Amino acid sequence: MSTINIEGGIVSPPSHSTPVRSVSDVAKLINSSTSKNSYARWIVFLALGGVFLDAYDLTTLSYGIDDVVKEFNLTPTLTGLVTSSIMIGTIIGNLVGGWLTDKYGRYSVFMADMLFFVVSAIAAGLAPNVWVLIGARFLMGVGVGIDLPVAMAYLAEFSKFTGKGNKAARLAAWCPMWYAASSACFFIIFALYFLLPAEHIDWLWRASLLFGAVPALLIIAVRSKFMNESPLWAANQGDLSGAVRILRDSYGIIAHEEKPQHPVAVKQAPPKVSFRVLFQKPYRERTIVTAVMNICISFEYTAIAFFLPSILAQFLGAGVFETISASLGLNALFAFTGGLLGMRLAWKFPSRHVAIAGFALQFIALISLALIGHPQAAAGVVFAILMLGLWLFAEGFGPGAQMMIYPALSYPTHIRATGVGFGRSLSGIGSALALFILPILQASFGTNMFWIVSLAAIIPIFFLLIIRFEPTQQDIDDQHDNGEQHV
């Protein structure tokens, strides 16, 4: 049995202490933990809080862009820069943030990215000119891009692999949290609308941007008390004593570092963090599936999200307020409930099967929208709206949830955030592509463009059927000893 040095004295570990020799041992201890009162749940909650803030910041300006155009007298080109700057920042943040998270640890990156939100929110809300606003929104996008990979790493690494509230279920929770944040954004803007003096209602967009700094500061304050480094990442870096400490603090697990019987002459270096590893065996096929899913999901989501207000306006003949309310109603009734269902399905069913089912329902909904065109009869309008609801519901429980579950559980700790960040960067490219070509398709084909958009729902199904890797079948972090961990 190993010994522990405490203040210069040599003592044996407690009799109930578990030896830790590898990353796999740490994964086993987390998976077998029965502790109910631990900081681990707080860490999961705070990671989801970051997702909430991500969605809020990405949604906010969509309700105030018209006032920004009026205040700064923007040209169409500058308007496009204002709206796209956050997306460009997000793509860069995804790539850089994932790599930094795997290279330097979850805790330091998770704490630092909140500073992006605070600084950028204040700078954007007080922007004296459009260039400061563009720069601030770009920085905000970088913060969003950094936060998602590290948040997914935390959700995966502070959860058990099996049982209720497992890794897949907690990763799936990002989807309903995102929809909840999007809806909350509207209600916050609605509240600010009534709080602002009538003569300064043009400050609404500034107030909503500034408000984004408030939850970021609260999260920083709470994170400093409850957040911890991932024990899996610490063990992966060779810091088994640090992993043991985190297991004790976060789970109440009593463990000790097991010293090797034969000391190693040269200490093994931490695994290299590289995008190149994503395209090497055995991860290449998983990276391909992740890439296809992210591009296709974002493309069709942008198609629905971008055109939903105009579609509803055509169907209902309603004004702006009624259209926004109807959009939020559909999101709350179908997308949010679908996301909640996705958390339960992720606990019980394979990731591939749930994703395929969701894509199939979306394909049916898109084909139906293409066939129905512009309905005139009330029954046709109701059917079209129900098909929009079906698409949103399928997005919530299927592709929306699985686009995080699949990569987060397909890659081991040392490249997990890098893999998630790479997939999310492609998602941003898919969204940008959709925003560029969908207006052209709508002008040329009208509602027949849904035939083309439906391809984004059917293509991932073929890849999921051909590449049959199932990320929820076995904990990839519990495979350290078979050589897969270090490629």
Side-chain angles (χ1 to χ4, degrees):
M1 178 176 288
S2 68
T3 58
I4 300 176
N5 189 320
I6 297 180
E7 297 181 355
I10 304 297
V11 300
S12 296
S15 58
H16 60 285
S17 178
T18 305
V20 171
R21 307 176 186 85
S22 66
V23 176
S24 181
D25 288 341
V26 175
K28 285 184 173 71
L29 286 172
I30 294 174
N31 290 335
S32 61
S33 172
T34 58
S35 174
K36 299 295 183 183
N37 299 316
S38 69
Y39 282 177
R41 290 186 178 183
W42 272 105
I43 291 173
V44 169
F45 175 78
L46 292 170
L48 289 173
V51 173
F52 184 96
L53 192 56
D54 297 340
Y56 177 87
D57 284 332
L58 281 174
T59 306
T60 305
L61 203 60
S62 62
Y63 296 108
I65 189 63
D66 291 339
D67 290 330
V68 175
V69 172
K70 291 177 184 178
E71 179 168 340
F72 294 126
N73 193 25
L74 300 183
T75 63
T77 300
L78 284 176
T79 303
L81 281 174
V82 171
T83 55
S84 63
S85 57
I86 191 169
M87 185 59 67
I88 296 170
T90 300
I91 294 172
I92 295 173
N94 285 145
L95 291 171
V96 175
W99 184 85
L100 289 173
T101 300
D102 286 333
K103 180 72 174 178
Y104 298 105
R106 282 71 169 119
Y107 178 81
S108 57
V109 176
F110 211 10
M111 293 297 289
D113 76 76
M114 282 297 105
L115 295 177
F116 278 92
F117 291 116
V118 174
V119 173
S120 61
I122 294 173
L126 301 177
N129 56 60
V130 67
W131 297 109
V132 173
L133 179 61
I134 291 170
R137 294 289 286 175
F138 173 79
L139 282 179
M140 191 176 290
V142 172
V144 171
I146 291 174
D147 197 71
L148 276 172
V150 68
M152 294 307 109
Y154 263 127
L155 291 176
E157 293 165 16
F158 275 89
S159 305
K160 296 191 293 184
F161 187 72
T162 59
K164 189 175 182 180
N166 62 14
K167 292 178 185 287
R170 285 179 170 173
L171 285 163
W174 94 279
C175 200
M177 179 62 77
W178 190 277
Y179 286 119
S182 299
S183 300
C185 178
F186 171 77
F187 289 111
I188 290 170
I189 293 173
F190 201 60
L192 291 171
Y193 176 83
F194 287 103
L195 289 172
L196 285 172
E199 62 271 19
H200 295 302
I201 198 63
D202 56 329
W203 291 357
L204 181 60
W205 70 271
R206 293 184 178 274
S208 60
L209 287 174
L210 284 168
F211 186 83
V214 176
L217 288 169
L218 290 174
I219 290 174
I220 288 175
V222 178
R223 280 181 177 178
S224 64
K225 181 178 181 180
F226 290 104
M227 293 303 288
N228 217 330
E229 183 54 78
S230 161
L232 288 167
W233 184 84
N236 216 282
Q237 300 299 300
D239 183 14
L240 292 178
S241 62
V244 165
R245 175 188 59 79
I246 299 166
L247 287 172
R248 182 189 68 241
D249 294 343
S250 298
Y251 290 92
I253 296 174
I254 305 301
H256 63 274
E257 178 184 1
E258 183 75 15
K259 298 292 184 181
Q261 293 181 349
H262 305 287
V264 180
V266 180
K267 185 178 180 181
Q268 185 178 7
K272 186 177 181 180
V273 180
S274 170
F275 289 101
R276 185 165 58 96
V277 177
L278 301 177
F279 296 94
Q280 295 175 349
K281 288 286 188 179
Y283 310 120
R284 183 187 303 128
E285 291 78 9
R286 307 171 200 180
T287 300
I288 292 172
V289 173
T290 296
V292 171
M293 287 177 64
N294 273 274
I295 292 173
C296 290
I297 290 170
S298 61
F299 184 90
E300 58 173 326
Y301 178 82
T302 302
I304 296 297
F306 185 79
F307 290 105
L308 183 59
S310 62
I311 292 170
L312 289 173
Q314 292 174 8
F315 288 169
L316 303 176
V320 175
F321 183 82
E322 292 82 359
T323 300
I324 294 176
S325 299
S327 300
L328 287 168
L330 282 171
N331 273 283
L333 184 61
F334 293 101
F336 181 70
T337 55
L340 293 178
L341 175 64
M343 293 174 62
R344 187 167 183 83
L345 295 177
W347 173 39
K348 293 188 173 183
F349 298 99
S351 176
R352 286 177 59 254
H353 296 176
V354 177
I356 289 170
F359 279 122
L361 286 178
Q362 287 185 321
F363 180 75
I364 292 171
L366 290 168
I367 292 299
S368 299
L369 288 170
L371 289 171
I372 198 170
H374 293 286
Q376 302 299 320
V381 171
V382 171
F383 179 76
I385 292 175
L386 286 176
M387 287 300 99
L388 288 172
L390 175 64
W391 188 94
L392 290 167
F393 181 74
E395 172 73 8
F397 83 76
Q402 299 304 320
M403 72 188 298
M404 291 299 188
I405 294 175
Y406 194 94
L409 299 186
S410 292
Y411 303 115
T413 298
H414 73 282
I415 54 169
R416 175 170 287 122
T418 303
V420 173
F422 176 75
R424 289 298 297 169
S425 67
L426 294 179
S427 182
I429 293 173
S431 295
L433 180 65
L435 289 171
F436 177 74
I437 69 171
L438 285 174
I440 300 172
L441 293 176
Q442 188 190 38
S444 301
F445 301 106
T447 56
N448 283 326
M449 72 166 187
F450 285 117
W451 289 105
I452 301 172
V453 176
S454 69
L455 295 175
I458 199 71
I459 289 173
I461 294 178
F462 291 109
F463 280 85
L464 287 165
L465 290 173
I466 294 170
I467 300 174
R468 303 179 65 84
F469 173 76
E470 175 49 55
T472 63
Q473 186 174 14
Q474 184 178 359
D475 188 355
I476 195 168
D477 288 316
D478 194 6
Q479 300 174 18
H480 179 76
D481 297 329
N482 66 10
E484 184 182 70
Q485 190 84 338
H486 297 279
V487 177

